[in-house]
Amino acid sequence: MLKRDIKGILGGAGLAAVGLFAAWYGQVNYEFGGVHNMGPGFLPVILGGVLALLGALIAIPAWFRAGAPVSTEWGSAGFVILSIAVFGGLLALAGLVVATLVAVLLALVPDRKLGWGTKCKVALGIALITYSIFSLGLGMAIKTWPWSG
């Protein structure tokens, strides 16, 4: 029995599913238009179709090749999901920077290779990048600090 490349199959199928959904949603909810008179649904439908095609080009060959067995580290996955939930809960209360710091530190808890000093540096770096992109670069009206409005 051939051990299929499950990562390739699932990754390609996931991309194809997202692409098909985007194409369907753009087609149903927006006017498509044409090449010379593009409607708001033109780009989502075309890009969704391209993404679905690329996903199929990844998944189909993966079906015919052997792959390594897939193992999931459920503890790490749990901490990542928890960090996303905590980020969502803290964002309005503590602001973007603090919520990002806490979320990144939570996501890094299971990593035994990194010391806490390195984890804090990573969290600070990601918080700085997040602040730079969303507050400074895009000028989003988002609470930055716990004391800001």
Side-chain angles (χ1 to χ4, degrees), residues 76-91 94-110 116 119 122-124 126-127 130:
S76 297
F79 270 99
V80 169
I81 292 168
L82 177 66
S83 73
I84 293 168
V86 167
F87 178 82
L90 277 180
L91 188 58
L96 180 67
V97 175
V98 174
T100 302
L101 285 169
V102 172
V104 171
L105 286 173
L106 266 174
L108 290 174
V109 165
W116 279 102
K119 290 177 184 180
V122 169
L124 283 171
I126 291 174
T130 304

Side-chain angles (χ1 to χ4, degrees), residues 25-124:
Y25 191 85
Q27 187 73 29
V28 170
N29 294 309
Y30 301 112
E31 182 183 335
F32 184 75
V35 177
H36 296 292
N37 188 17
M38 294 180 199
F42 188 85
L43 195 61
V45 170
I46 297 299
L47 290 180
V50 169
L51 185 61
L53 176 66
L54 291 175
L57 290 175
I58 292 170
I60 292 169
W63 182 266
F64 298 104
R65 71 174 170 255
V70 177
S71 65
T72 303
E73 294 185 28
W74 293 107
S76 297
F79 270 99
V80 169
I81 292 168
L82 177 66
S83 73
I84 293 168
V86 167
F87 178 82
L90 277 180
L91 188 58
L93 298 171
L96 180 67
V97 175
V98 174
T100 302
L101 285 169
V102 172
V104 171
L105 286 173
L106 266 174
L108 290 174
V109 165
D111 191 342
R112 290 181 172 82
K113 295 176 187 173
L114 297 178
W116 279 102
T118 305
K119 290 177 184 180
C120 289
K121 289 176 188 175
V122 169
L124 283 171

